[in-house]
C-alpha cells in the first residue's frame, strides 16, 4: 500500500470512484453489513444523515470526531461545538499541552465513548476499509471506542477488497494529498489500512449510508 516516490510525484484522480451506487446496491450492502454485525441505516440526503447521527448520541455522551471531510461537509463538528449536550474530546484536547500531556491526549482520543467519522470503501460483502496516514482513528474504530458511528457517501461502495484498495490508492489518497498540500503545505500518505470483516460486539458500530457524494 505504501506509495512509491514516482507515484507521489504523478498523482492523478480516478474519477470513476466518485460514481454513486444504485439503490439496489445500497440495499444489498446494508444487508451484508448487518450480517457482519454492523448496524446500518440509509439516509436519502445529508440533512437526514446528520439527524440520524444526533439521534444516536445520548445526552451527556463523550464524543470524539475523527478528521473527516464527510463530517465537515455535513457541518457535524460545528454543530457539536454549538451544543451543550455532549462532552467533546476535541475541546478538552485543545486545552492540554502536547509536550507534557501527549500520552494522556493519545489515550483520550483512542478510548472515547463515541467516535464519529467515515471510511474509504465498503464492499458488496459488507467489509469496510479505512486508510490513514497517522493511524490515530484506527484503534478506536477497531476496538477501543465504546461506540462507532460512520457516515458514508454512497460513492464509496465497491465490488470487493481489491477494488476498495484501488479506490483508496487512485481516488481517496490523491484527493487528500491535494487537500493537505493546499491547506498545510504537507503531503499525505497511505501509512496504515484497517479492514473490518466483522464486528463481534452487537450494537457497537453503526454505519449511515447516504445517497449523496460525501467526502472521498
Amino acid at each position: 500500500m505504501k506509495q512509491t516516490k514516482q507515484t507521489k510525484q504523478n498523482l492523478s484522480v480516478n474519477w470513476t470512484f466518485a460514481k454513486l451506487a444504485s439503490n439496489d446496491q445500497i440495499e444489498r450492502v446494508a444487508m451484508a453489513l448487518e450480517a457482519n454485525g454492523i448496524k446500518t441505516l440509509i439516509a436519502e440526503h445529508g440533512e437526514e444523515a446528520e439527524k440520524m447521527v444526533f439521534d444516536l448520541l445520548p445526552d451527556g455522551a463523550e464524543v470524539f470526531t475523527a478528521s473527516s471531510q464527510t463530517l465537515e461537509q455535513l457541518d457535524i463538528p460545528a454543530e457539536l461545538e454549538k451544543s451543550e449536550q455532549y462532552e467533546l474530546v476535541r475541546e478538552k484536547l485543545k486545552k492540554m499541552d502536547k509536550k507534557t500531556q501527549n500520552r494522556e491526549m493519545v489515550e483520550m482520543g483512542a478510548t472515547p465513548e463515541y467516535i464519529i467519522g467515515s471510511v474509504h470503501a465498503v464492499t458488496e460483502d459488507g467489509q469496510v476499509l479505512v486508510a490513514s496516514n497517522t493511524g490515530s482513528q484506527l484503534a478506536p474504530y477497531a476496538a477501543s471506542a465504546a461506540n462507532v458511528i460512520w457516515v458514508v457517501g454512497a460513492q464509496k461502495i465497491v465490488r470487493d477488497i481489491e477494488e476498495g484498495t484501488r479506490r483508496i490508492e487512485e481516488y481517496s489518497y490523491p484527493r487528500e494529498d491535494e487537500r493537505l498540500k493546499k491547506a498545510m503545505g504537507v503531503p499525505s500518505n497511505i501509512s496504515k489500512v484497517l479492514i473490518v470483516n466483522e464486528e463481534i460486539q452487537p450494537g457497537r458500530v453503526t454505519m449511515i449510508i447516504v445517497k449523496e457524494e460525501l467526502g472521498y
Side-chain angles (χ1 to χ4, degrees), residues 1 120 129 131 164-174 190:
M1 291 294 294
H120 294 105
L129 289 81
T165 300
R166 283 186 54 225
R167 187 180 194 283
I168 290 170
E169 293 179 341
E170 299 175 15
Y171 185 76
S172 305
Y173 165 59
I190 304 172

Side-chain angles (χ1 to χ4, degrees), residues 57-120:
L57 296 174
D59 287 351
E62 180 189 56
V63 182
F64 182 60
T65 50
S67 297
S68 165
Q69 293 304 295
T70 297
L71 298 189
E72 294 294 339
Q73 278 185 252
L74 297 179
D75 213 27
I76 287 175
E79 290 300 315
L80 284 166
E81 288 179 16
K82 292 177 187 177
S83 174
E84 298 181 355
Q85 295 177 265
Y86 314 105
E87 295 184 21
L88 302 183
V89 174
R90 285 197 178 273
E91 292 303 303
K92 294 178 182 178
L93 293 175
K94 289 178 183 177
K95 301 173 184 178
M96 299 175 73
D97 186 340
K98 192 171 184 179
K99 290 183 180 179
T100 61
Q101 297 176 288
N102 184 63
R103 185 61 189 167
E104 184 180 351
M105 293 172 72
V106 171
E107 290 175 354
M108 286 177 62
T111 59
E113 182 183 5
Y114 282 83
I115 184 169
I116 309 173
S118 191
V119 308
H120 294 105

Side-chain angles (χ1 to χ4, degrees), residues 167-212:
R167 187 180 194 283
I168 290 170
E169 293 179 341
E170 299 175 15
Y171 185 76
S172 305
Y173 165 59
R175 291 200 62 187
E176 175 64 3
D177 186 72
E178 180 182 18
R179 185 190 72 81
L180 274 181
K181 286 176 179 175
K182 287 182 178 178
M184 303 177 66
V186 297
S188 185
N189 190 48
I190 304 172
S191 301
K192 302 169 186 180
V193 179
L194 172 68
I195 298 176
V196 179
N197 293 315
E198 183 177 359
E199 173 52 50
I200 63 172
Q201 296 184 43
R204 177 178 171 269
V205 180
T206 300
M207 180 179 292
I208 301 170
I209 300 176
V210 191
K211 296 180 180 180
E212 289 183 354

